[in-house]
């Protein structure tokens, strides 16, 4: 049942009377070429049930084999999260019966995760740093997907029938679980959002996942409970499942805090359950009663050997970690001479990594910065998407910037080239060619246009000849118009003045 938003306790009153405790579980799909325990490909969006085999369909007699790349990614994630890496760990069977899991169990890790006891420092919008302690990061496999047909909501209730796609069953997942986050107070929703954002940036830097929340390759379950101010026993929690955008993480936590508070203040009890977040109403609704660990009857997976990464391998992976987001921020702040505020603005606009990549592709930092924070930010805004979802890559933008630097494009023409790339017309050079956008720098072509413009405005030409140089503007304007803005205005002006000497 969905609580009406007007039944919720006012947020100020919530944080005056209660302390929130959060627990965030993030599932990240690794972008390995093959699944975690078989050789099936993992391409997103393939025809249903074309990427399956006896192992990931759980057919009798099939045996799993661990994906080495999946283990490597898990260790790298653990190291980047300052975790200890297990010297020896095992997979476990998490038993449950549900159609999206053909084996009737999920191969996961239980009390022996590969990475544990870490932390991630999260920078909030005002620059304050909040440390989130990491309980564990463990390896598991994704489930298949159910598609409920015939109902209005896409949920099973009211559907005529359901279809199952097992392409995703067995795709490697890493589940990253925080320790209880206490002391967040009124900033809890903001901290939840910032943590998932920081984790996304980290995973992207590690290049282990597409981290596309909209495609489900990064999903967050948000556990929320409240305890009265001054108490030290956690309240009953609810778990809002599969929240699929950063903004929704913040809104789901805030909603649950207000709903819990309203129930508690009214003398009611919180039911331990999973909840669904509805993007359109920004509310949550009850799902299933939460299972306990006993319900899953975990036991060690007998078909897989334990995973015992050697210390040498772990140290080798540690030494080859890429530049991590916080290190990168420190470096570019010094190199580009940015104030704390400027740096934070770039980070919160989601522009920093894009600018760095554009600079890495050969562009000047100032030009790269200006494109991403002004023109492209406007384009993203107009389309209602994040900056990094725009269909232009840093390499493409760097090419446009190079064309401006070498004089092939003016800034105005460059914007048209970028528009062309955004519209899917191809690479910048193709857009220049097909739209005919090159700056006319050939003097003879420009002179012809200048002569024509002077002949069309004899009175203006006369004025210029008599020394009224400022009158040249009208002629320059006419030439720019005639060349559809593709002339270099400065050069046109020089030619006009030369012609009128
Ligand atoms: Zn398979």
């Amino acid at each position: 049942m969905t609580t009406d938003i007007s039944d919720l306790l006012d947020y100020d009153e919530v944080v005056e009377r209660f302390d929130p405790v959060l627990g965030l579980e993030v599932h990240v799909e690794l972008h390995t070429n093959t699944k975690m325990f078989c050789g099936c490909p993992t391409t997103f969006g393939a025809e249903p049930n074309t990427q399956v085999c006896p192992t990931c369909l759980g057919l009798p007699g099939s045996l799993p084999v661990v994906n080495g790349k999946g283990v490597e990614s898990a260790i790298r994630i653990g190291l980047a999260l300052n975790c200890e890496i297990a010297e020896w760990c095992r997979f476990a069977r998490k038993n449950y019966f549900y159609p999206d899991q053909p084996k009737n169990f999920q191969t996961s890790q239980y009390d022996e995760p590969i990475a544990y006891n870490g932390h991630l420092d999260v920078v909030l919008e005002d620059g304050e740093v909040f440390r989130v302690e990491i309980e564990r990061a463990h390896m598991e496999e994704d489930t298949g997907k159910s598609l409920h047909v015939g109902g209005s909501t896409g949920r099973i209730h009211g559907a005529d029938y359901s279809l199952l796609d097992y392409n995703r069953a067995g795709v490697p997942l890493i589940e990253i679980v925080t320790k209880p986050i206490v002391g967040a107070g009124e900033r809890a929703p903001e901290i939840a959002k910032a943590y998932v954002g920081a984790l996304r940036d980290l995973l992207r830097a590690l290049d282990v996942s597409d981290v596309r929340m909209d495609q489900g390759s990064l999903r967050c379950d948000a556990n929320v409970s409240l305890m009265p101010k001054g108490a030290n026993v956690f309240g009953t929690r609810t778990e809002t499942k599969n929240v699929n955008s950063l903004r929704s993480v913040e809104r789901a936590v805030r909603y649950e805090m207000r709903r819990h508070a309203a129930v508690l203040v009214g003398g009611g009890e919180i039911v331990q359950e999973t909840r669904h977040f509805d993007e359109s109403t920004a509310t949550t609704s009850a799902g299933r009663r939460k299972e306990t660990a006993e319900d899953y009857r975990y036991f060690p997976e007998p078909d897989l050997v334990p995973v015992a990464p050697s210390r040498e391998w772990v140290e080798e992976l540690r030494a080859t970690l890429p530049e991590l987001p916080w290190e990168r921020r420190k470096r570019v702040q010094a190199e580009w001479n940015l104030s704390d505020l400027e740096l934070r603005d770039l980070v919160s606009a989601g522009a920093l990594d894009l600018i760095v990549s554009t600079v890495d592709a050969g562009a000047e930092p100032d030009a790269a910065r200006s494109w991403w924070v002004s023109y492209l930010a406007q384009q993203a805004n107009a389309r209602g998407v994040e900056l990094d979802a725009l269909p232009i890559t840093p390499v493409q933008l760097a090419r446009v910037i190079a064309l401006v630097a070498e004089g092939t494009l003016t800034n105005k023409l460059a914007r048209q080239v970028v528009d062309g790339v955004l519209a899917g017309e191809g690479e910048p050079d193709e857009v220049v060619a097909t739209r005919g956008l090159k700056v006319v720098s050939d003097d003879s072509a420009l002179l012809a246009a200048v002569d024509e413009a002077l002949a069309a405005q004899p009175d203006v030409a006369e004025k210029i000849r008599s020394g009224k140089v400022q009158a040249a503007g009208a002629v320059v304007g006419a030439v720019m118009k005639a060349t559809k803005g593709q002339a270099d205005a400065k050069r046109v002006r020089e030619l006009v003045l030369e012609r009128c000497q």
Side-chain angles (χ1 to χ4, degrees), residues 23 33 60 92 110 132 149 205 261 280 289 309 312 346 353 365 399:
N33 293 328
Y110 181 47
V132 174
V149 184
S280 58
R289 291 287 172 110
E312 293 74 29
L346 294 184
D353 289 340
R399 177 62 188 151

Side-chain angles (χ1 to χ4, degrees), residues 463-486:
K463 275 189 195 163
I464 305 171
R465 286 199 186 93
S466 68
K468 293 205 171 75
V469 185
Q470 66 274 26
V475 183
V476 174
V479 173
M480 294 306 288
K481 205 172 164 194
T483 56
K484 299 194 186 97
Q486 284 167 242

Side-chain angles (χ1 to χ4, degrees), residues 152-291:
S152 56
T153 57
R155 303 266 294 275
I156 195 163
H157 305 286
D160 294 329
Y161 60 93
S162 298
L163 295 170
L164 287 156
D165 176 7
Y166 290 122
N167 282 353
R168 201 180 64 180
V171 167
L173 282 184
I174 304 296
E175 180 174 346
I176 300 159
V177 183
T178 67
K179 291 182 181 170
I181 301 171
V182 291
E186 61 178 340
R187 302 192 79 170
E190 181 194 350
I191 286 170
K193 176 187 176 193
Y195 165 74
V196 179
L199 195 53
R200 183 186 64 174
D201 292 348
L202 176 66
L203 295 164
R204 184 182 287 135
L206 291 170
D207 193 21
V208 290
S209 167
D210 300 334
V211 289
R212 291 281 300 268
M213 291 190 88
D214 56 330
Q215 290 185 356
S217 55
L218 185 73
R219 315 193 280 270
C220 175
D221 300 340
N223 289 275
V224 175
S225 67
L226 294 182
M227 51 187 180
K229 277 268 176 213
N232 49 19
V233 179
F234 294 172
T236 305
R237 68 194 157 91
T238 53
E239 179 181 4
T240 305
K241 302 288 283 183
N242 294 333
V243 186
N244 64 1
S245 75
L246 293 181
R247 183 163 169 256
S248 295
V249 171
E250 179 169 22
R251 295 201 302 173
V253 168
R254 186 181 299 269
Y255 179 87
E256 278 299 280
M257 284 172 65
R258 295 181 61 195
R259 191 185 65 83
H260 281 213
V263 171
L264 295 171
V265 167
E269 275 185 19
I270 299 297
V271 178
Q272 185 173 339
E273 63 188 356
T274 63
R275 296 187 68 89
H276 300 282
F277 182 69
D278 183 331
E279 299 269 340
S280 58
T281 58
T283 60
T284 66
S285 58
R288 57 189 155 81
R289 291 287 172 110
K290 182 69 180 160
E291 293 86 354

Side-chain angles (χ1 to χ4, degrees), residues 35 38-40 51-57 169:
K35 293 187 180 180
C38 64
C40 290
Q51 301 181 153
V52 291
C53 74
T55 299
C56 55
L57 287 176

Side-chain angles (χ1 to χ4, degrees), residues 13 15 27 66 126-127 131 240 445 457 499:
E13 202 183 334
V15 294
H27 285 90
V66 175
D126 63 359
R131 174 162 290 190
T240 305
Q457 306 181 69
R499 274 308 210 217

Side-chain angles (χ1 to χ4, degrees), residues 71-369:
V71 177
E72 180 186 299
S73 297
I75 295 174
R76 293 175 73 233
I77 291 170
L79 290 170
L81 288 170
N82 307 290
C83 286
E84 295 172 50
I85 305 300
E87 298 199 17
W88 191 94
C89 68
R90 270 190 300 194
F91 287 97
R93 289 191 182 182
K94 182 181 183 182
N95 295 280
Y96 68 94
F97 176 75
Y98 201 72
D100 66 11
Q101 184 47 271
K103 298 188 295 189
N104 286 343
F105 63 85
Q106 179 187 31
T107 308
S108 181
Q109 293 194 291
Y110 181 47
D111 49 358
E112 297 158 311
I114 188 149
Y116 50 93
N117 269 347
H119 64 261
L120 180 62
D121 286 333
V122 176
V123 185
L124 304 178
E125 291 218 349
D126 63 359
E128 197 183 308
V129 177
F130 189 94
R131 174 162 290 190
V132 174
E133 304 283 347
I134 306 291
E135 165 92 29
R136 57 197 272 143
H138 70 248
M139 301 179 281
E140 58 183 36
E141 59 180 336
D142 213 343
T143 58
K145 263 187 199 164
S146 309
L147 181 68
H148 306 297
V149 184
S152 56
T153 57
R155 303 266 294 275
I156 195 163
H157 305 286
D160 294 329
Y161 60 93
S162 298
L163 295 170
L164 287 156
D165 176 7
Y166 290 122
N167 282 353
R168 201 180 64 180
V171 167
L173 282 184
I174 304 296
E175 180 174 346
I176 300 159
V177 183
T178 67
K179 291 182 181 170
I181 301 171
V182 291
E186 61 178 340
R187 302 192 79 170
E190 181 194 350
I191 286 170
K193 176 187 176 193
Y195 165 74
V196 179
L199 195 53
R200 183 186 64 174
D201 292 348
L202 176 66
L203 295 164
R204 184 182 287 135
L206 291 170
D207 193 21
V208 290
S209 167
D210 300 334
V211 289
R212 291 281 300 268
M213 291 190 88
D214 56 330
Q215 290 185 356
S217 55
L218 185 73
R219 315 193 280 270
C220 175
D221 300 340
N223 289 275
V224 175
S225 67
L226 294 182
M227 51 187 180
K229 277 268 176 213
N232 49 19
V233 179
F234 294 172
T236 305
R237 68 194 157 91
T238 53
E239 179 181 4
T240 305
K241 302 288 283 183
N242 294 333
V243 186
N244 64 1
S245 75
L246 293 181
R247 183 163 169 256
S248 295
V249 171
E250 179 169 22
R251 295 201 302 173
V253 168
R254 186 181 299 269
Y255 179 87
E256 278 299 280
M257 284 172 65
R258 295 181 61 195
R259 191 185 65 83
H260 281 213
V263 171
L264 295 171
V265 167
E269 275 185 19
I270 299 297
V271 178
Q272 185 173 339
E273 63 188 356
T274 63
R275 296 187 68 89
H276 300 282
F277 182 69
D278 183 331
E279 299 269 340
S280 58
T281 58
T283 60
T284 66
S285 58
R288 57 189 155 81
R289 291 287 172 110
K290 182 69 180 160
E291 293 86 354
T292 60
E294 292 81 56
D295 294 330
Y296 288 122
R297 292 163 291 120
Y298 281 100
F299 63 86
E301 166 60 62
D303 287 341
L304 287 166
V305 292
V307 176
S310 75
R311 296 301 95 179
E312 293 74 29
W313 188 35
V314 171
E315 288 317 308
E316 202 180 299
L317 292 176
R318 191 195 304 277
T320 52
L321 285 180
E323 181 180 46
L324 298 176
W326 48 91
E327 297 165 346
R328 164 173 280 194
R329 278 167 208 166
K330 231 187 242 168
R331 173 176 66 82
V332 298
Q333 182 171 24
E335 279 179 15
W336 303 349
N337 206 11
L338 301 175
S339 70
D340 287 347
L341 190 63
E342 285 171 317
L343 178 72
R344 226 155 43 225
D345 283 349
L346 294 184
V347 172
S348 64
L352 189 79
D353 289 340
L354 293 164
I355 297 169
V356 170
S357 302
T358 309
V359 172
D360 287 347
E364 282 294 320
D366 283 348
R369 225 173 105 188

